[in-house]
Amino acid sequence: MIYNIFRNLLLLSIIAVIIVSCEDPAPTDYIPDIVVEGLLIVDEPIRNITVIRTQPLADSFSYYNSLISNAIVKIKSEGQEFLLDYNPPGNDNKPGYYFSDTSYKVKSNQLYEMEVIVDGKIMTGTTFTPARTDWIRSPKKYIQYPIDSINLPPTDTIEWKRADKANFYLIGISCLDTNGYGEYLNPQTNEKNRRIERPFRNDRSYWELTSFVPIPAGTDTSTSTPIVWSVFKFFGKHQVSIFVPDFNFLRWFAQAQARGQVEPILQSINNGFGYFGSASVIRDTSVLLKNQP
């Protein structure tokens, strides 16, 4: 009796192993894909186009390990074809693909086509570069952070001309020097910079040096806005940028920056992931003064 029970259990075990071995393998094998990020800036050289390979969530993410350096990247416009070179990590510029002849500048209101080839896979995208804008009232050279950091009044208003066909603008505030401070004063001092401490210091953008804010264009001939204090993370020298984005760049920003995730159906790369967009930009600098040492 006991022998028969043991024999039946053994047979059931063998059958179970056979059934499991015939099933599909567990979904642990990760199949990487390719992501292309390309942004052309009007009146600037072609540069900073990145091609990366996705990595599995089970591994620690390394941006530099994901970079693809052997892609063939081409930009076409007005009958010209620009074959891009690869700029590896460690150089002064952001790693990625660029056109070596920096005398060529991206034109406004112009169609550009991109082709990326990786391991025989061909990915494409197109962008129509936006119109330019210009300052009407640029940021002040010095902005005084108020003594009362609880009751923060708005800063002085900045204003710029409406760009043709623009529906949205992106305002970027970047800290240019997280260490230096006194050398930007008049007279100069040796005082060092420091971070602005706030209760929400541990939000997901805490370590980023640039803050972006979208602004609707409206129907007027110009657009104006105060710079809110919450965009500043350090004191010292900052760059204020107004981007006029094309639809591809604006849509990518709305997903990646605002939502933190990207919908494949809303991307602008054919046969792959990512975006190929463009923008015109105006920039100026300002120094945020401390409210205390």
Side-chain angles (χ1 to χ4, degrees):
M1 177 98 177
I2 296 177
Y3 172 77
N4 291 334
I5 295 175
F6 178 77
R7 185 187 62 181
N8 292 336
L9 290 175
L10 181 60
L11 288 174
L12 288 174
S13 300
I14 294 174
I15 293 172
V17 170
I18 294 174
I19 292 175
V20 170
S21 64
C22 293
E23 292 179 349
D24 293 333
T28 56
D29 293 337
Y30 177 74
I31 301 176
D33 215 317
I34 298 170
V35 179
V36 179
E37 292 186 307
L39 178 63
L40 301 182
I41 301 296
V42 172
D43 298 324
E44 295 186 8
I46 299 175
R47 58 192 175 194
N48 295 339
I49 294 178
T50 58
V51 184
I52 65 174
R53 202 180 305 274
T54 60
Q55 301 181 36
L57 294 176
D59 297 339
S60 298
F61 177 77
S62 171
Y63 177 73
Y64 293 114
N65 290 341
S66 69
L67 291 169
I68 297 175
S69 60
N70 62 343
I72 300 175
V73 182
K74 301 176 184 178
I75 303 290
K76 301 176 184 179
S77 182
E78 296 183 296
Q80 294 179 279
E81 182 176 276
F82 310 102
L83 181 61
L84 307 191
D85 296 318
Y86 180 71
N87 184 42
N91 293 355
D92 294 336
N93 295 326
K94 175 184 175 181
Y97 291 86
Y98 70 101
F99 184 49
S100 58
D101 183 2
T102 56
S103 65
Y104 178 84
K105 304 298 191 296
V106 175
K107 299 179 181 180
S108 176
N109 293 319
Q110 186 61 49
L111 178 67
Y112 285 84
E113 301 173 86
M114 180 178 65
E115 180 181 86
V116 178
I117 304 175
V118 179
D119 300 332
K121 181 177 182 178
I122 301 176
M123 294 153 286
T124 60
T126 61
T127 180
F128 191 83
T129 53
R132 300 177 180 88
T133 184
D134 202 357
W135 292 109
I136 296 177
R137 186 184 302 118
S138 60
K140 286 187 174 182
K141 184 176 181 180
Y142 294 99
I143 301 176
Q144 176 62 60
Y145 196 85
I147 300 299
D148 185 357
S149 58
I150 302 299
N151 182 23
L152 299 178
T155 64
D156 292 325
T157 298
I158 59 174
E159 186 177 5
W160 59 94
K161 296 179 181 178
R162 180 184 175 92
D164 185 38
K165 300 181 180 179
N167 295 317
F168 271 88
Y169 304 98
L170 301 177
I171 301 180
I173 310 291
S174 303
C175 181
L176 298 179
D177 190 346
T178 60
N179 183 56
Y181 178 80
E183 60 262 45
Y184 305 111
L185 305 180
N186 187 17
Q188 294 184 354
T189 70
N190 294 324
E191 188 175 356
K192 297 300 181 183
N193 201 353
R194 66 175 175 84
R195 178 179 285 278
I196 299 174
E197 298 293 340
R198 294 194 179 96
F200 52 87
R201 58 173 293 175
N202 290 322
D203 66 358
R204 68 185 180 93
S205 65
Y206 176 74
W207 298 108
E208 297 176 4
L209 299 182
T210 300
S211 298
F212 281 100
V213 179
I215 298 291
T219 58
D220 296 332
T221 58
S222 65
T223 301
S224 62
T225 183
I227 300 177
V228 296
W229 294 111
S230 60
V231 301
F232 294 105
K233 301 175 183 180
F234 285 84
F235 295 101
K237 188 175 183 180
H238 287 75
Q239 179 172 268
V240 181
S241 305
I242 307 296
F243 289 80
V244 184
D246 79 329
F247 183 62
N248 293 345
F249 180 40
L250 178 64
R251 186 170 53 177
W252 184 260
F253 168 84
Q255 297 174 85
Q257 295 289 334
R259 297 183 66 237
Q261 64 184 41
V262 176
E263 298 293 340
I265 196 174
L266 298 178
Q267 61 190 343
S268 55
I269 296 295
N270 300 316
N271 196 33
F273 294 95
Y275 83 99
F276 179 52
S278 57
S280 63
V281 187
I282 54 173
R283 301 181 178 93
D284 206 341
T285 57
S286 185
V287 176
L288 183 64
L289 301 176
K290 297 179 182 178
N291 59 337
Q292 56 188 5

